Amino acid sequence: MVNLVEAQKPLLHFLIKWAGLRQHTVDVDGAGTVLTFWVPKDKVGALAKHYDVYIPDLLFFGGSTTPSADRSPAFQAECLAAALGKLGVDECTVVGFSYGGMVAFKMAESRPDLVRSLVVSGSVVAMTDSISDTTLERIGVRSSAELLLPESVKGLKALLSIAAHRRLWFPERLHRDFLEVMFANRKQREELLEGLVVSNKDATVPVLPQKILLLWGHNDNIFNLELAKAMKEQLGEKTMLESIDKAGHLVHLERPCVYNQHLMEFLAYATAEASKE
């Protein structure tokens, strides 16, 4: 029987290529660490008309992999920065969502020469013990893996109900097909989730020189708006917070037009400010 989610991949790849991108693989270290990217080809899509767009698969997503046992966001950031260097990128704005936002913060901290500005949605600077425990208790699950790596249709439905503001309905078969395709590398992804959590005593908020936009779903049930407001205060005066109504954790999927408008406005602002320096 055809997996309906798997069958959509050729169409998705066609649409990405139509938007002006092509797939490319980068050997990061010559020792087996490989990142796959969508990289610029033509100036077609809304973003690609104005900017060179690079879309990476982080390690253990898509075709990206590593023999290293390091599962920290810092290692992801290190590999991503090295790959961008091999692609000839010497300055960029990093846009990160959820787990990708934590990697983005690490990149901004470790490579301020590379990361000019930052856009983060539904994420935190660091997943401390207290944030992890409070979030899991509020949602009503025992672990991040239980929520984010469901093994059953029931678990997938629970994840979607928490992540989205509006109720999403799919046929049972589509849920089953989604489970088969979207949660590969389960062992490694569980390790990535375990590698996120740091103790409260070891956690610090870095002093970041970049201009930062926190672009939030007003109804995010995983990392709520109050957490974003507190993070804005911690990050300082160069950080802006914008919230989008009628959107949850999946803000970029639920309100894509509004999200893209905020993103384009910030990119134009950040580019203009950089030209003054």
Side-chain angles (χ1 to χ4, degrees):
M1 184 178 292
V2 175
N3 185 299
L4 297 178
V5 176
E6 184 72 36
Q8 299 300 312
K9 285 188 176 181
L11 174 60
L12 179 60
H13 286 185
F14 168 78
L15 291 173
I16 296 175
K17 290 177 180 178
W18 178 82
L21 303 174
R22 63 181 176 86
Q23 202 161 31
H24 185 73
T25 300
V26 179
D27 183 346
V28 175
D29 58 6
T33 297
V34 174
L35 287 181
T36 55
F37 279 80
W38 288 97
V39 301
K41 180 183 178 184
D42 302 304
K43 297 288 187 179
V44 179
L47 277 173
K49 286 180 181 178
H50 304 282
Y51 307 99
D52 291 331
V53 179
Y54 295 81
I55 305 174
D57 288 325
L58 295 177
L59 293 171
F60 302 114
F61 295 84
S64 297
T65 188
T66 181
S68 171
D70 193 337
R71 298 291 184 261
S72 67
F75 181 67
Q76 291 268 18
E78 177 187 333
C79 293
L80 184 51
L84 287 171
K86 293 198 171 189
L87 291 169
V89 177
D90 53 18
E91 266 193 341
C92 63
T93 294
V94 180
V95 181
F97 161 71
S98 200
Y99 176 74
M102 299 179 210
V103 175
F105 277 125
K106 286 296 182 185
M107 271 189 72
E109 181 182 2
S110 62
R111 291 292 307 276
D113 59 310
L114 173 63
V115 181
R116 182 178 62 194
S117 53
L118 199 59
V119 181
V120 172
S121 300
S123 190
V124 289
V125 176
M127 179 67 84
T128 62
D129 292 331
S130 58
I131 292 176
S132 177
D133 292 345
T134 301
T135 301
L136 294 176
E137 182 179 355
R138 176 164 43 80
I139 293 171
V141 295
R142 292 167 295 180
S143 69
S144 296
E146 180 183 338
L147 173 67
L148 299 174
L149 297 173
E151 299 185 50
S152 66
V153 169
K154 180 181 179 181
L156 177 57
K157 287 180 177 180
L159 170 59
L160 293 174
S161 69
I162 291 167
H165 172 59
R166 297 177 181 177
R167 183 181 178 186
L168 303 176
W169 182 88
F170 300 106
E172 289 290 309
R173 180 186 169 185
L174 204 59
H175 282 100
R176 291 194 297 271
D177 289 352
F178 190 90
L179 280 172
E180 288 181 14
V181 173
M182 300 307 292
F183 297 103
N185 297 319
R186 181 178 293 273
K187 175 179 180 294
Q188 291 87 348
R189 292 192 189 183
E190 286 182 359
E191 292 167 352
L192 291 178
L193 291 173
E194 291 170 3
L196 282 178
V197 181
V198 296
S199 67
N200 291 326
K201 64 182 178 62
D202 295 331
T204 58
V205 177
V207 178
L208 299 178
Q210 296 91 348
K211 292 175 175 57
I212 302 171
L213 172 63
L214 304 177
L215 188 50
W216 235 253
H218 186 83
N219 308 97
D220 192 328
N221 288 320
I222 297 178
F223 296 119
N224 60 37
L225 190 57
E226 293 305 311
L227 188 62
K229 290 177 180 178
M231 189 162 54
K232 175 187 180 300
E233 295 304 313
Q234 292 173 327
L235 288 169
E237 60 183 18
K238 290 187 177 181
T239 301
M240 298 176 280
L241 171 62
E242 297 285 350
S243 67
I244 298 177
D245 290 336
K246 299 178 182 178
H249 190 65
L250 301 176
V251 56
H252 56 304
L253 299 179
E254 293 191 274
R255 302 292 306 276
C257 293
V258 180
Y259 179 94
N260 286 341
Q261 180 182 348
H262 283 292
L263 176 59
M264 292 292 285
E265 289 173 355
F266 177 78
L267 290 175
Y269 161 73
T271 301
E273 289 296 303
S275 67
K276 298 175 184 177
E277 299 175 357

